[in-house]
Amino acid sequence: MAAALLPAAAETLGTRAPVAFLYAPGTSTSLYLKDADKAFEPGSLVKVMTAAAVFEALSGGEVTPETTCKVSEHAWRTGGAPSRRATMFAAIKSEIPVMDLLRGLLIHNANDAAIVLAECLDGSEEAFAGRMNTLAASLGMNGSHFVNPTGYGTLENPDSKGEASRTTARDMAKLGQFILEKHWDYYPLFSEPEFTWNNIYQRNKNPLLGEIRELDGMGAGQAASGFSGLASVERNGRRVIAVVAGLSDEKTRLAAMKEVVEGAWDYFAVERIFAKGETVTEAKVFGGTASTVPLRTVSDVDVLLPRGGTLDYRLRVVYSGPLKAPVRMGTPSGEIQVLGNDGIVYRAPLETAGEVDEGSLEERALGAVSYYLFGWF
């Protein structure tokens, strides 16, 4: 199908963040990309992946919220009070339920909670990092690699300058969408306002909470490559996931996150490109009583597109063809894509809107000659 122009904005979203990604999961639309596949060190933003791995263990029945985990000397010394880093002050050799450790992880940003959970599930930080990387691979987080559950330094020495975890803005948005879609029951943990453990009261340490209207998760990090953040915001029934990275300090990180999040409402509006069941194009058919079959949308194609203007968004239909007869009604057959300057920003499946029976021997022979001599265009 020939590319078609869609509306684009006279004014466009911009941010001071060197790395940024804005995604609307409800319409599967990538709204804004700025070096979205450039790797950065996430620091304690890694703990969002740590939480996701534990959520998976809970949903798979490996552990329950009541399962108790023992605090090892390593977890206490490396992530607890002696470390002088963020901690839930878990007592050495004590046993703590998984749900309380998750609260320590996500509310206190606690390193001891992250290590205890890792050791509880897999025996060591290193083994748990393998679990994290397996999950990342299954989610298509191709630019990510995790070395431990805390995000600090290396496995052997948290303060060393050796291998560190890495990720990308696009990958973190995929992780956020995964949690929202598959582990919604645990998502409220990200925004619980406070948690008391060992008689020590602490407010939620996510520096983005309460600073951006309707932001209800996920986390923030700091590393050698700068300050980063992953945010999920819902307003008036529309949710967006935003990621920024490479900022110089907390203040500029917050300002950049506001620029990206607010841009979703300032510069974009939902546009219906095609209604459910509407014919989009035709697909070539090989060896049938007809040479083409219509392709239609499986559902309404609602895309968040820039307000006003007239430039730079195009439509493209992609399918693996020609389709081989017989072709049945409702057969999944490719997808419609919306392309912007930075690549595909939206994709939705297509299916056949008609049937084509297998042709006679003569029709199939003619089709084969056409295919091998001229190809399909």
Side-chain angles (χ1 to χ4, degrees):
M1 178 182 177
L5 292 178
L6 296 174
E11 295 182 74
T12 58
L13 190 158
T15 177
R16 69 198 73 191
V19 172
F21 187 54
L22 179 62
Y23 183 73
T27 60
S28 302
T29 311
S30 300
L31 302 178
Y32 180 77
L33 304 90
K34 186 177 181 182
D35 274 340
D37 297 308
K38 181 180 179 180
F40 66 89
E41 295 176 33
S44 60
L45 193 57
V46 160
K47 289 165 184 163
V48 179
M49 172 55 85
T50 301
V54 178
F55 296 160
E56 282 286 274
L58 285 164
S59 65
E62 286 186 68
V63 291
T64 70
E66 295 77 28
T67 298
T68 57
C69 301
K70 190 170 184 178
V71 180
S72 68
E73 181 177 351
H74 169 71
W76 173 75
R77 192 172 300 281
T78 307
S83 70
R84 296 186 178 181
R85 295 188 186 273
T87 176
M88 66 181 287
F89 298 98
I92 188 171
K93 297 183 180 180
S94 64
E95 296 190 357
I96 304 174
V98 166
M99 187 54 69
D100 284 342
L101 288 166
L102 278 171
R103 286 194 171 92
L105 178 76
L106 298 176
I107 301 172
H108 288 338
N109 192 31
N111 295 296
D112 50 358
I115 297 170
V116 172
L117 284 165
E119 292 178 338
C120 188
L121 283 171
D122 292 306
S124 70
E125 290 188 74
E126 183 176 14
F128 185 81
R131 178 190 294 261
M132 297 166 74
N133 289 319
T134 298
L135 177 57
S138 73
L139 299 180
M141 297 173 63
N142 300 323
S144 297
H145 179 72
F146 302 99
V147 300
N148 59 33
T150 62
Y152 286 110
T154 65
L155 292 162
E156 296 76 21
N157 180 2
D159 294 316
S160 76
K161 295 182 180 179
E163 183 185 17
S165 295
R166 67 176 185 274
T167 190
T168 69
R170 191 191 303 272
D171 282 358
M172 291 309 295
K174 289 180 180 179
L175 177 60
Q177 182 177 17
F178 169 72
I179 292 172
L180 289 167
E181 291 182 350
K182 188 171 180 184
H183 297 295
W184 179 255
D185 288 349
Y186 295 112
Y187 181 67
L189 289 171
F190 287 94
S191 58
E192 287 190 12
E194 72 270 330
F195 181 54
T196 299
W197 188 259
N198 267 355
N199 295 317
I200 298 173
Y201 168 87
Q202 294 186 56
R203 293 187 180 277
N204 194 308
K205 290 184 177 178
N206 181 348
L208 302 175
L209 277 175
E211 298 293 337
I212 297 175
R213 185 164 56 91
E214 309 301 335
L215 186 151
D216 52 20
M218 303 240 183
Q222 175 187 354
S225 58
F227 287 72
S228 59
L230 166 63
S232 179
V233 179
E234 184 176 27
R235 295 179 191 166
N236 303 319
R238 183 199 300 177
R239 181 173 290 279
V240 297
I241 298 170
V243 185
V244 297
L247 284 310
S248 60
D249 53 46
E250 287 193 21
K251 184 177 179 180
T252 53
R253 173 179 58 195
L254 176 59
M257 185 64 82
K258 285 182 177 179
E259 290 167 344
V260 175
V261 168
E262 298 301 334
W265 282 269
D266 291 344
Y267 296 107
F268 295 88
V270 175
E271 298 284 347
R272 177 157 295 173
I273 301 175
F274 293 100
K276 178 181 179 180
E278 189 172 348
T279 297
V280 175
T281 189
E282 291 184 331
K284 296 287 188 180
V285 177
F286 172 74
T289 55
S291 61
T292 62
V293 65
L295 295 183
R296 68 187 180 191
T297 55
V298 176
S299 59
D300 292 337
V301 179
D302 294 332
V303 187
L304 270 168
L305 294 175
R307 301 177 187 272
T310 58
L311 192 63
D312 279 350
Y313 276 73
R314 305 174 305 283
L315 290 178
R316 180 173 68 186
V317 171
V318 177
Y319 70 93
S320 180
L323 306 180
K324 185 178 179 180
V327 177
R328 298 297 171 228
M329 177 83 74
T331 302
S333 302
E335 65 182 18
I336 184 171
Q337 301 174 348
V338 178
L339 294 90
N341 290 332
D342 297 300
I344 298 170
V345 300
Y346 175 90
R347 61 207 325 157
L350 298 173
E351 64 182 14
T352 53
E355 298 196 353
V356 178
D357 293 330
E358 188 175 27
S360 65
L361 182 61
E362 182 180 1
E363 288 169 325
R364 282 180 281 156
L366 287 172
V369 170
S370 297
Y371 178 77
Y372 288 112
L373 289 184
F374 307 110
W376 294 87
F377 302 96

